[in-house]
Each structure stands twice: as C-alpha cells, then as structure tokens.
Amino acid sequence: MRTCYCLSFLFWTSMLHVVHMTPSPKRTIKYSQNGRILGLSQDDGKTLHRSKRGWMWNQFFLLEEYTGSDTQYVGKLHTDQDKEDGNLKYILTGDGAGSLFIIDENTGDIHAAKKLDREEKSLYVLRAKAIDRKTGRQVEPESEFIIKIHDINDNEPKFTKDMYTASVPEMSGVGTSVIQVTAIDADDASYGNSAKVVYSILQGQPYFSVDPETGIIKTALPDMSRENREQYQVVIQAKDMGGQMGGLSGTTTVNITLTDVNDNPPRFPQSTYQFSSPESASLGTPLGRIKANDLDVGENAAIEYSISNGDGSDMFDIITDKDTQEGIITIKKQLDFETKMLYSLRVEAANTHPDPRFFHLGPFKDTALIKVSVEDVDEPPMFSRSSYLIEVDEDAKEGTIIGQVIAQDPDTTKNAIKYSVDRHTDLDRIFNIHSGNGSIFISKPLDREETPWHNITVIATEINNPKQSSQIPVFIRILDINDHAPEFAKYYETFVCENAKAGQLVQTVSAVDKDEPPRGHKFFFELVPEFAVHPNFSVVDNKDNTAGILTRRNGYSRSKMSTYLLPVLIFDNDYPIQSSTGTLTIRVCTCDSRGNMQSCNAEALLLSAGLSTGALIAILLCIIILLVLVVLFAALKRQRKKEPLIISKDDVRDNIVTYNDEGGGEEDTQAFDIGTLRNPEAREESKMRRDVIPETIFQIRRTAPLWENIDVQDFIQRKLKENDLDPTAPPYDSLATYAYEGNDSIANSLSSLESLTMDGNQDYDYLSDWGPRFKKLADMYGGDDSDGD
C-alpha cells in the first residue's frame, strides 16, 4: 500500500511540472496593451504567462491523503507588477482559504496545511488578488482558480447490507437466480481501478455461485431437497482494483432458505387400524383418529381423507382436522350389535394441492384399512314409531280403548316390557294405559270445547332392568260431536217504534255454537210454536246464519204494552240436532218521523196519564210476575228440547214416539195386530217427524217385498242399505220401523209357564254343562230329589 502511494505521488508531481511554459510573444503583446497580467506558477522564480486564452491555466491538481512531514506545495500566484520590493500583498479567499490552504502574502506561494480527503470534498474554488500595500488598491483584477483533489485507493468496497436473507424453491434447476448483492466503493470510479469491484464466493460452494460482475447469486447444484437440508449460509466477497492483488475488499453473509414444494406424497405409517364402538353411541361420535405423514409443509402437506369403499362406508364417515391434518372416524348411522358386529372400510389420504411438475414421482395419495367392531350394550326399549297420533270422539265412554303403542327390547334377550303414562303430562289422569300390551284407554270424560288436544308421554320400561326405559310422545286429538246447542251471539237491545208499519225490520240476530262441524255451521231460526199464534212479530230466516225480526202489524202502544218478550228457536243441522230458545226483549219507544228513538221510559208515560204511585207499583209487579212466567216457560221448553231424541248412537235411523199405555198381556189381542209383526211386507205409513218441521215432504220409496223366511239381522242390514242408497231419503234422521220378528229360535223357551202342558218329565241334566252361572238352576231342576220334593 505504501508503494501505491509513492507511485501516485511521483505521477502527479511530473504532471504538475508541465505547467512551466514560455510565454508567446503575441500573447505578451496582447496583454501588454491591457496593462498587467496576473499569472500562476509552480516554480519559485519564473512567471506563468498565458500563451492561449483557451488553456485552463486556472486549475491545480493535489493528491489526497498526503502523508509527508511538510506542508504540501500547491502553486504560486505572481503578477508582472511585482518588483519583488515587497510593495505588493497577495490575498487568497474562497473554499478552505486560511484553514486548508495558506498563501505567502509576499511571494504568493500556496501550501496545503492539512491532509485532504477526496471522498469528503473533491474540489475547491479559490479567488486570488494582489493589493498595493501603500495605496491599498488592487493592482490586478481578482482571479478565480480551482484546486482538484486526485483520488487514491483508500476505500474498500462496502455492501449495502451487512446480512442478506433470501429463499429459493427446492428442486430448482442449476442457475436459478436467488438474490443480487451490491457493494459500493467510495473511490473515484472515473480514475483508475480503485472503484472497480469484483464479486466472489468464499463460503457456500458447491451449492451456490455468484456472478463476479453483477453479484447475482445462483444455484449450482440440481434438485436440492428441503427435506435433506433447509438452511444455507453463503459468504460473498467484493474486491476493488478489478480483483487484482493489492485491492481492498469487503464481505457480507447471505442466509438462503430452501422453500417447500409438493414433491412428497402422504403415507400412512401402518396399513391397518382397529377401532371399537358401543352400539349405543350417538350419531357423530368420534371413534378415533388416523394420520398420514407428509414430509412437506404448509399447504403442500394439506391432506383430505375420504372413505373409498368397504361394507362400513354407509355406517361411518371421516372428517379432516385442518389443524392437525388428521382423519377423524365418526358414526354416520346408528349401530346395532344384533344386526352386524364388525365393519371394514378403506380410507384414502390425498394431497389437496398436488404439483403437476412432480406427478412422475408417483401418486400423491395412500390408503389404509379400518376395522370397527361393535360392542353390545343393554339398550332401552324401542318403539315402533317416533310418535303416535290418536283421534277419538269426545263422547267416547270411560274405559274405551282409543289406541295402542308398541315397544320391544332390541337386545337378543328380548326382556319383557311394561308401559306407563308420564303423569306430568296427564295431571288430570284423563288417560291410562294397560301395562302389559300398551293399550291406551279413557279414564275420564272428554270435552273437545275445553281441551281439543292432549299430549301425553308413554314410558316403556324393561321389567328386569328398570333403568332401561324410553319415552314416546302420543298426540291425542279430540274429535267434535254436536253436543252444544246454538245460542244468540250477544245480548240484543231491541226496540220498536210506536208508529212502526207492518213488515218493518226491527232487529237482525245471529247465533254462535261451541261445536265445530266439519262442514261449517248452519243455523235455523223460527218462532217457538206456542208463540206462532197471533204473533206481534215474525222471524225470517236469512239462510246465512242470521234472522230478521219483523213487525206484523201497524202501530204499537206503550200505554198498552211497553215490552214484548219474543222467544226464538235456534237449531243446527249437525247430528244429533241441538236447539235452544233465546228470548228477545223488545221495547216500545217513541220515535220521530225518520224512525230515530226518542223515549222508551214507561214510567214517564204513565205519570203523564195521571196514574198514582200505587198503581205504578202494581203494574210493575204484574210485569215482573209475567216475566217470571215467561222465563219458566222458556226454561221448560229448553229442557224439553234438550232431551235427546235418540238414546243410543248406534240407533242412527230411529225417531221414537213414546206412548205411556200399558198393554194387556198376551191375552190382549186388541192392542195390536199380531199379523203385522209376522208379515214383513206390512209396514206403517211414513209419518212426519215431530221434533222438526221439514221444508219438503219427501215421497216414500216403495220397495219390493222380501221373502218370509229371512234372518232378522240380514233383514235389517238390507233395509239399512236400501235407505242409505235412497236418493229421496230425507236429510234428517227418521225412524224406519220394520215389524218383523224373524224365524223361530232353535233354543226354544226356558219359561216354565208351558211346562204344565207338556207330557212327562224333562231331563235338565244339561244345565250342569252350562257353567257356574247356571249351577243354581241345575241344582233346582237337575236332581231327582228336587223333583220329588
């Protein structure tokens, strides 16, 4: 290094001596016309003259990093006005004047007082002038010149980073670019090779290489595997002077990581897995986990598990755990030990992101065999359905069986089962169940209008193991029957004007019914038959479940009758027909000409007529008594109407008319015609019903006579079928009487009334064969002792 500095110093010294030149006669003459010329010189006794205006006379060159003991000589300022008598004074101004550069004011010699560094400042601009000491005036105009610092190789190359980090995919080919490193040399690149940098690799071979000019690091080996080695540390050197000996150098470290690619398929560590599960395990229960190993990382190691085949593919499922890359075997369908005890299925593990570049390495999936054994457990009883729906009429009798639930033990032991009702769901104990066969029956009367639905829970329990039980919901729907009579929809405030005309509408009434017939409500309105004679008002059925109350005469008098009570009969069209009587209270009021009510106060009317207080009290008492009588009559009428015309629901075609006449016994042949009972062709003329007034008189259908010797049951069934298929039959229920007793009974009579007419003794030993119910009778007639007694 010391040798380099000496060579540079000698080189620059020889260049500095080039500036000593002889002045041209023409240039001297030219400048002598102008007066004086300020010159620059690097020789102690010679004056520097310009021979050409184009020559850069005003530039000095100075070597940086001067290490001599004396100050470094730069140059000399001189003017032809200097007589060397000390009368002139040289002054230096500009960059570094007085600190870096000093001038001898008498001789004009310039020296560098300090060591200079080109990397800090490469040139200095100075100005020089000569002043007469006596007058203080400039003898020459101020002149500007430049001192340029020449470079030496005193800076080593420096990298932009002390440490680099880079990555490259594994399995990359040779020459794959990894990263570019850059080193900067502070020396002057325009002069010599001080700043010419060459790159080389000191550590990291044979895996990587570096381009000597660009600094790009590349792979040097093919198919480097991340699974074998992932991290590499490479040391790069940058050397100036073109890499020649004596150049300065710097180094940096590059940490290179091989990134993963999907070049490894998943592999199961074993070919067969064993799992077990109790048959009572619920759906979705995990049985175990399996995992296929993949040497890759990240999404390249992502695995999706699936069931490819096997007899358990419908019974089990497999779920992929994204966090652990495991396959979870779960139950898809309910297991049953009694049905199947062992299942096998084949599970497949495959990469979700395969790389087509590595398909030649083989399939990126693997399979394993899964065997699942089912363990037997004591299971609770199992019902034949998930729920039961039972419908029952609300008039069903207590003890009626309305349905049945069935459960059985699914285990091979087939334990016996008992049934019970969860009383928390049937607090009123309306229903009960037979513990042995699961038959549900009614314990209390039903009322659809009160509770249309009953939701109870039936429990089935194993007798040998009461802990094993199961429940089932039973939904009981109560079907409606016509057991409520229609009634007025509300209380009506009705009045009639004194000046009302006949046929005038007084009130429109409607009815409601608690029942819900399937075809909807249909109500009929009419006057009570007892009030139909000479009525003051009439009822007109509007055929839309409403009726209009009309006046039947012209004018009403409050003085004669201030209030009318009008009983209206309301009945429906469902089976059995229900009816009720509603009473309308119609007040007579004073109205204006447009029919607007003005006054309905009967007391004011009476007072205006001059009646006394006692008379008014008597009239009020009479009215109260009359109202009580009307209410009693209406109640009796309603009670009479509520008596069911049909006692039994099975008698669907009967209309019974009762006569309280007592017959005369068998000898009374005048009370009835015995021939009518024995003749099936004889029938009574059809009579109209007394409970309702039909709107149309239906024509009685004539049927062909039946043969005489026919069974009574067949006879009734034939007649019932004929009436059901008769299109002219009335829509309401009517009594069809068939006076036919049937053939003689083969059992004969047990009566003792005819025993006196029979010859000889009878044998009653057969009574002993009739069972314990006839034991007493057998003892009375069966023994000889009894006959003797």
Side-chain angles (χ1 to χ4, degrees):
M1 192 65 67
R2 189 174 298 172
T3 304
C4 295
Y5 288 154
C6 293
L7 291 174
S8 301
F9 177 77
L10 293 175
F11 174 75
W12 286 110
T13 303
S14 62
M15 291 187 65
L16 290 175
H17 284 282
V18 178
V19 298
H20 298 283
M21 304 178 67
T22 303
S24 172
K26 291 182 179 181
R27 180 68 61 182
T28 303
I29 295 172
K30 182 178 180 180
Y31 281 98
S32 62
Q33 293 176 356
N34 294 332
R36 301 175 181 84
I37 297 177
L38 178 65
L40 298 176
S41 175
Q42 285 185 309
D43 193 14
D44 292 337
K46 296 181 180 179
T47 302
L48 178 63
H49 296 280
R50 289 192 238 175
S51 61
K52 255 187 188 178
R53 185 174 292 274
W55 176 62
M56 294 296 297
W57 60 270
N58 57 347
Q59 183 171 351
F60 289 111
F61 293 93
L62 189 64
L63 195 66
E64 70 168 339
E65 302 292 344
Y66 175 70
T67 58
S69 58
D70 298 334
T71 57
Q72 187 177 4
Y73 182 75
V74 177
K76 182 181 181 65
L77 294 179
H78 187 74
T79 178
D80 57 356
Q81 298 296 326
D82 187 0
K83 304 299 183 181
E84 297 182 359
D85 55 1
N87 192 31
L88 294 180
K89 178 181 179 182
Y90 293 95
I91 298 175
L92 186 64
T93 60
D95 295 337
S99 57
L100 295 179
F101 302 101
I102 56 177
I103 187 171
D104 188 336
E105 62 181 13
N106 295 320
T107 63
D109 294 328
I110 303 173
H111 293 80
K114 296 181 180 179
K115 182 172 63 174
L116 302 178
D117 188 357
R118 189 200 66 82
E119 285 72 32
E120 292 182 1
K121 193 174 180 65
S122 60
L123 59 87
Y124 296 86
V125 178
L126 298 172
R127 292 176 295 279
K129 57 184 176 180
I131 300 175
D132 191 340
R133 292 179 182 271
K134 296 179 179 180
T135 62
R137 297 176 57 186
Q138 291 187 18
V139 296
E140 293 288 350
E142 185 178 49
S143 179
E144 182 179 277
F145 63 96
I146 297 174
I147 300 177
K148 187 174 183 180
I149 310 301
H150 265 239
D151 183 45
I152 63 173
N153 190 18
D154 59 342
N155 292 280
E156 71 277 6
K158 291 184 179 180
F159 286 93
T160 56
K161 294 182 181 180
D162 294 335
M163 182 175 293
Y164 291 85
T165 300
S167 62
V168 62
E170 64 171 335
M171 308 299 290
S172 297
V174 177
T176 301
S177 176
V178 179
I179 192 174
Q180 183 178 16
V181 295
T182 303
I184 299 176
D185 196 320
D187 293 328
D188 190 1
S190 62
Y191 178 76
N193 294 329
S194 299
K196 185 177 181 180
V197 179
V198 174
Y199 300 94
S200 62
I201 184 168
L202 301 182
Q203 177 183 327
Q205 294 175 331
Y207 307 104
F208 299 95
S209 62
V210 63
D211 189 294
E213 295 183 358
T214 62
I216 298 177
I217 301 175
K218 301 178 182 180
T219 58
L221 284 181
D223 300 333
M224 288 189 293
S225 176
R226 183 200 65 84
E227 289 74 26
N228 295 332
R229 183 177 177 182
E230 184 176 2
Q231 299 288 339
Y232 294 87
Q233 191 175 72
V234 178
V235 178
I236 302 297
Q237 182 189 62
K239 190 174 184 180
D240 60 10
M241 298 297 294
Q244 299 177 3
M245 184 179 297
L248 303 180
S249 64
T251 60
T252 187
T253 301
V254 182
N255 293 323
I256 301 176
T257 302
L258 295 184
T259 58
D260 185 58
V261 296
N262 194 2
D263 59 340
N264 293 281
R267 290 290 181 263
F268 283 106
Q270 58 192 74
S271 60
T272 304
Y273 295 84
Q274 294 280 350
F275 297 102
S276 62
S277 173
E279 62 175 338
S280 59
S282 59
L283 301 183
T285 301
L287 302 182
R289 292 171 175 256
I290 60 174
K291 184 176 182 180
N293 298 324
D294 194 327
L295 298 178
D296 298 322
V297 295
E299 70 174 12
N300 296 321
I303 300 175
E304 187 71 26
Y305 296 89
S306 61
I307 298 177
S308 58
N309 54 48
D311 58 359
S313 58
D314 294 335
M315 302 299 296
F316 302 95
D317 197 3
I318 187 167
I319 303 173
T320 303
D321 189 336
K322 301 297 183 181
D323 297 329
T324 62
Q325 294 300 313
E326 294 177 319
I328 305 173
I329 307 297
T330 60
I331 298 176
K332 186 178 181 181
K333 292 184 179 180
Q334 191 64 49
L335 302 177
D336 188 4
F337 174 82
E338 290 72 24
T339 303
K340 193 175 180 61
M341 295 180 291
L342 182 64
Y343 294 91
S344 62
L345 57 151
R346 185 160 293 278
V347 175
E348 180 181 278
N351 281 138
T352 57
H353 300 86
D355 194 334
R357 296 177 299 172
F358 305 104
F359 281 169
H360 64 278
L361 299 179
F364 282 76
K365 59 184 178 180
D366 195 14
T367 60
L369 181 64
I370 308 294
K371 293 184 178 181
V372 182
S373 59
V374 182
E375 300 174 351
D376 188 24
V377 296
D378 189 5
E379 299 178 89
M382 183 179 296
F383 286 92
S384 59
R385 302 179 188 175
S386 59
S387 63
Y388 289 86
L389 174 63
I390 299 176
E391 294 182 345
V392 58
D393 293 332
E394 65 175 323
D395 62 342
K397 304 299 181 183
E398 298 179 14
T400 302
I401 297 177
I402 62 175
Q404 184 183 19
V405 296
I406 299 175
Q408 62 179 358
D409 185 7
D411 299 322
T412 55
T413 56
K414 300 298 180 183
N415 293 324
I417 297 173
K418 66 176 182 179
Y419 301 90
S420 61
V421 176
D422 186 359
R423 291 305 172 188
H424 293 89
T425 60
D426 186 24
L427 298 177
D428 297 332
R429 296 181 176 269
I430 299 176
F431 302 94
N432 212 333
I433 190 170
H434 192 282
S435 62
N437 58 18
S439 298
I440 302 175
F441 57 90
I442 302 172
S443 299
K444 292 183 179 180
L446 304 176
D447 188 358
R448 187 205 64 83
E449 287 72 29
E450 181 179 351
T451 307
W453 282 88
H454 294 271
N455 301 328
I456 65 174
T457 300
V458 174
I459 304 173
T461 308
E462 292 185 9
I463 296 178
N464 296 335
N465 187 7
K467 293 183 179 180
Q468 294 296 335
S469 63
S470 57
Q471 300 179 353
I472 196 73
V474 179
F475 307 105
I476 302 175
R477 179 184 180 185
I478 309 303
L479 301 179
D480 183 42
I481 63 170
N482 194 25
D483 57 346
H484 290 83
E487 56 188 17
F488 281 132
K490 63 178 182 178
Y491 176 76
Y492 293 97
E493 293 282 348
T494 307
F495 70 94
V496 62
C497 296
E498 288 184 310
N499 56 356
K501 303 297 181 181
Q504 182 176 336
L505 178 64
V506 176
Q507 181 71 54
T508 300
V509 296
S510 62
V512 293
D513 194 336
K514 294 181 180 179
D515 297 318
E516 292 182 0
R519 296 184 301 274
H521 290 291
K522 182 64 177 178
F523 302 125
F524 302 95
F525 303 86
E526 63 182 25
L527 280 176
V528 174
E530 288 79 357
F531 282 80
V533 181
H534 304 296
N536 293 300
F537 301 91
S538 62
V539 177
V540 178
D541 195 337
N542 297 328
K543 307 299 182 182
D544 59 354
N545 293 338
T546 63
I549 310 301
L550 305 178
T551 58
R552 295 199 63 179
R553 60 188 179 88
N554 295 325
Y556 295 86
S557 175
R558 282 196 299 164
S559 60
K560 294 181 180 180
M561 181 69 70
S562 61
T563 304
Y564 292 91
L565 299 178
L566 183 65
V568 179
L569 181 63
I570 311 171
F571 56 93
D572 55 25
N573 68 334
D574 205 358
Y575 173 81
I577 294 177
Q578 299 289 342
S579 63
S580 67
T581 301
T583 302
L584 282 176
T585 301
I586 304 175
R587 295 186 299 166
V588 181
C589 301
T590 302
C591 303
D592 57 13
S593 59
R594 292 179 295 181
N596 298 323
M597 181 182 64
Q598 292 181 342
S599 174
C600 291
N601 192 345
E603 183 179 356
L605 178 63
L606 295 176
L607 290 176
S608 64
L611 295 178
S612 62
T613 304
L616 292 176
I617 294 175
I619 293 173
L620 291 177
L621 288 176
C622 293
I623 294 175
I624 292 173
I625 293 173
L626 180 61
L627 290 175
V628 170
L629 293 176
V630 171
V631 171
L632 289 177
F633 177 79
L636 291 175
K637 189 67 176 178
R638 181 177 299 178
Q639 182 177 3
R640 182 183 303 173
K641 289 297 182 180
K642 287 185 177 180
E643 292 179 358
L645 299 176
I646 300 174
I647 303 302
S648 175
K649 185 179 177 180
D650 297 332
D651 300 334
V652 297
R653 303 291 295 178
D654 291 345
N655 249 342
I656 300 175
V657 181
T658 303
Y659 301 96
N660 296 323
D661 294 337
E662 184 176 356
E666 295 180 354
E667 297 178 356
D668 186 5
T669 60
Q670 300 299 325
F672 59 92
D673 187 4
I674 193 67
T676 303
L677 295 176
R678 295 180 178 176
N679 183 11
E681 298 182 5
R683 58 181 296 179
E684 190 177 359
E685 290 297 329
S686 179
K687 298 181 179 180
M688 296 179 62
R689 291 181 57 179
R690 296 185 179 183
D691 54 344
V692 296
I693 300 177
E695 296 181 358
T696 306
I697 303 300
F698 292 92
Q699 184 179 359
I700 303 301
R701 181 177 56 87
R702 299 295 181 180
T703 60
L706 298 176
W707 54 88
E708 184 175 359
N709 295 325
I710 188 171
D711 184 68
V712 176
Q713 182 177 0
D714 294 338
F715 178 80
I716 296 299
Q717 291 297 331
R718 289 176 180 273
K719 288 297 184 179
L720 179 61
K721 185 175 182 181
E722 290 179 3
N723 280 275
D724 290 340
L725 299 177
D726 186 7
T728 62
Y732 49 84
D733 295 332
S734 62
L735 175 64
T737 303
Y738 309 106
Y740 175 60
E741 290 185 346
N743 297 329
D744 296 337
S745 174
I746 62 174
N748 294 324
S749 175
L750 294 178
S751 176
S752 61
L753 297 179
E754 299 178 357
S755 61
L756 296 177
T757 61
M758 299 178 61
D759 296 336
N761 296 326
Q762 297 185 12
D763 185 8
Y764 296 100
D765 292 337
Y766 61 87
L767 295 176
S768 301
D769 300 333
W770 287 10
R773 295 185 179 180
F774 295 91
K775 184 177 182 302
K776 186 66 175 177
L777 190 61
D779 293 341
M780 293 175 60
Y781 292 94
D784 296 336
D785 295 339
S786 299
D787 296 339
D789 295 339

